Amino acid sequence: MSTGAPPTLLSIREIGADLRAGRLSASELVEATLARIDETEPRLNAYITVTADHARRQAQAADDELAAGRDRGPLHGIPVALKDLVDTAGIPTTGGSGFLRGRIPTSDAAIVERLAEAGAVMPGKLNLHEFAFGTTSANPHFGAVRNPWNQERSPGGSSGGSAAAVAVGSASASIGSDTGGSIRIPAALCGVVGLMPTYGRVSRRGVLPLSWSLDHVGPLARSVEDAALVLNAIAGHDPRDPGSAARPAPDAAAELGRGLEGLVVGLPRDPLWMEVEEPVRAACEEAVEALRALGAAVREVELPLLAEMRRMERGRFHRALLAEAGAYHARRLRLNPEGYGDDVRLSLESVSRVPATTYINAQRMQRLLVQETRSVLSSVDVLVSPTTECTAPTIAEGDLRARLARLTAPYDVTGIPAISVPCGVDPLGLPIGLMIGARHFDEVTLCRVAHAYEQATPWHRRRPEL
């Protein structure tokens, strides 16, 4: 094989080289992945459903096609697991909810169709915070997902299973969703890469919604290149998703390996570096210096409207937009409130009481924040900040949504693409994430900067001992 690492921890490019050279088969890879699931699941609980037979059929088909000379591209034969709010025909999709435990969709989500066309293999459906409404993935119906670095700690959420599985090699990559940070938070807390594309870049058709104006779907992976390759497979216009952007999706990996000379990094100190714990701040400051050493210019930028809102509202603005979640769940919440976990029920009751005028004003403010962000990004190429204020809290601490999502949620509100990459560890050895944001639909530059930083530092090569 390409390296001494087990196949479950190889990069997508390394796996692809081995598959095409005959050193590894997709069937061998899927068996190794299923064995890794068996090995790690009793401790992590990252999966709700393991689709072993389905994965074996897909892997055999990939082997047959490659042997016949049909190459579907970088994901051909690669195990990509799905957050269990992505519809899969004939396979349960629960949303992490007791209500939907027996739900079996009759059609695939758009991203499942695209992954199948790319030849990817699906080993299973991943555990999450109930209905994606929280940051812990401590699911009352399917059990808590545990952080692979310390099993008493939270993996973050809502895509906690998606991050944990990638971190330990029970999937080569995974799909998550992000409404207030739900890809980037678990990526940061579990030491992997999480890429939230521009709003509208990836179709959400067939993905259970939380908030139609904030929901994004994207990949989690062990490297920026792997995340870019998965994004390439799932991105593109879908006329059956009203929020899908009717514009071409360029190759997100096109500029990987280019230097950072000529690029300008913006540091939004207020509010996206405020109230950050010292180990996180120190690691992210070192990351900024690494970007400077790679040739990027660094300057501080201001987001005064966002800063003012954060001081005045303390999260109420984002909660107003989540009134859309209250609308989606209104009937079920009215008829069977006890069917929800306590934390999600309380959150839904809270957003269900948002007055229409508050919601409308929040939408107006959202447009102003988009304008402010666009203006700032006209003078810099990317924005850089910590992904979260702190490292992984204990599961017993509960949902620290205000602390974990405060820095990530503005990017959902403005719709710009953002990525979290590992950038250090705290004194307990828990991972720290660096967040990079870019202009709308500029995932190429986003991945270029993230990859340059990643390759210049050792953090992405750390793996939990599990």
Side-chain angles (χ1 to χ4, degrees):
M1 296 183 188
S2 299
T3 71
T8 53
L9 292 179
L10 295 176
S11 72
I12 289 174
R13 189 171 298 281
E14 288 169 336
I15 293 171
D18 284 351
L19 289 173
R20 288 157 184 81
R23 296 186 293 265
L24 178 70
S25 71
S27 294
E28 290 170 335
L29 175 60
V30 83
E31 292 301 333
T33 299
L34 293 171
R36 186 62 174 151
I37 292 172
D38 287 343
E39 181 182 14
T40 57
E41 271 308 281
R43 289 170 283 179
L44 290 188
N45 197 36
Y47 280 82
I48 288 177
T49 302
V50 177
T51 53
D53 291 341
H54 177 78
R56 289 182 175 115
R57 289 192 296 270
Q58 288 183 314
Q60 186 59 60
D63 285 332
D64 293 344
E65 288 186 338
L66 288 168
R70 182 177 185 187
D71 191 335
R72 293 177 180 266
L75 296 193
H76 206 161
I78 303 297
V80 180
L82 306 176
K83 185 176 183 178
D84 198 27
L85 47 59
V86 179
D87 278 355
T88 42
I91 297 170
T93 301
T94 71
S97 161
F99 289 114
L100 306 181
R101 187 183 289 270
R103 176 177 177 266
I104 301 178
T106 57
S107 59
D108 284 330
I111 55 174
V112 177
E113 296 171 351
R114 292 186 183 231
L115 288 169
E117 181 60 30
V121 173
M122 187 189 75
K125 311 292 290 293
L126 296 161
N127 203 351
L128 65 153
H129 204 107
E130 181 183 7
F131 280 120
F133 204 173
T135 63
T136 70
S137 301
N139 191 297
H141 311 288
F142 297 96
V145 184
R146 297 184 177 275
N147 193 305
W149 295 93
N150 181 328
Q151 289 145 61
E152 298 304 312
R153 301 273 170 170
S154 168
S158 60
S159 308
S162 300
V166 168
V168 299
S170 62
S172 295
S174 66
I175 298 296
S177 66
D178 197 313
T179 305
S182 289
I183 289 173
R184 292 157 292 152
I185 293 167
L189 302 193
C190 292
V192 298
V193 174
L195 199 172
M196 183 189 76
T198 305
Y199 181 84
R201 174 66 89 191
V202 175
S203 175
R204 300 165 303 171
R205 173 171 54 87
V207 178
L208 292 171
L210 179 57
S211 169
W212 72 267
S213 67
L214 301 175
D215 289 347
H216 303 65
V217 177
L220 294 97
R222 286 188 293 274
S223 72
V224 173
E225 181 180 37
D226 284 2
L229 293 175
V230 177
L231 178 60
N232 286 344
I234 63 176
H237 178 53
D238 178 6
R240 289 184 285 173
D241 174 6
S244 179
R247 57 189 299 161
D251 180 0
E255 295 189 3
L256 301 188
R258 286 190 61 187
L260 300 188
E261 293 288 345
L263 294 185
V264 182
V265 171
L267 303 183
R269 296 289 191 186
D270 185 7
L272 298 185
W273 286 74
M274 306 296 287
E275 302 176 49
V276 174
E277 290 186 355
E278 185 52 37
V280 175
R281 176 183 296 280
C284 291
E285 293 285 8
E286 287 186 13
V288 170
E289 292 309 307
L291 292 170
R292 197 192 306 271
L294 289 167
V298 178
R299 71 170 66 138
E300 295 196 10
V301 297
E302 295 183 352
L303 293 167
L305 181 59
L306 181 62
E308 179 183 1
M309 288 185 58
R310 285 298 167 188
R311 280 191 288 271
M312 293 175 60
E313 308 250 357
R314 303 298 295 177
R316 288 196 296 273
F317 164 69
H318 191 258
R319 200 157 57 246
L321 291 177
L322 287 172
E324 295 162 2
Y328 176 77
H329 287 275
R331 185 175 184 274
R332 188 179 287 123
L333 184 65
R334 184 177 68 254
L335 295 176
N336 192 8
E338 66 277 6
Y340 294 92
D342 289 345
D343 66 321
V344 171
R345 187 191 71 253
L346 291 172
S347 294
L348 286 172
E349 288 173 348
S350 172
V351 300
S352 296
R353 292 193 294 266
V354 171
T357 53
T358 301
Y359 173 66
I360 292 168
N361 285 332
Q363 286 188 312
R364 174 178 171 272
M365 188 60 66
Q366 183 180 23
R367 294 185 179 94
L368 294 175
L369 287 171
V370 169
Q371 291 176 348
E372 178 179 79
T373 305
R374 282 178 174 163
S375 176
V376 169
L377 282 167
S378 68
S379 61
V380 299
D381 296 287
V382 294
L383 301 174
V384 169
S385 63
T387 306
T388 58
E389 294 180 8
C390 58
T391 53
T394 64
I395 293 173
E397 289 178 81
D399 198 348
L400 304 183
R401 192 175 309 176
R403 300 206 65 200
L404 291 177
R406 189 181 69 81
L407 306 181
T408 54
Y411 289 159
D412 296 272
V413 171
T414 57
I416 68 173
I419 192 169
S420 180
V421 294
C423 73
V425 296
D426 73 1
L428 297 176
L430 298 171
I432 295 169
L434 180 76
M435 185 164 57
I436 305 169
R439 300 180 184 112
H440 289 99
F441 299 104
D442 193 9
E443 287 86 1
V444 173
T445 300
L446 182 74
C447 290
R448 172 187 170 185
V449 175
H451 181 263
Y453 169 75
E454 172 191 78
Q455 295 302 303
T457 58
W459 305 112
H460 68 291
R461 292 192 287 272
R462 294 179 73 248
R463 297 284 177 264
E465 295 181 1
L466 186 69

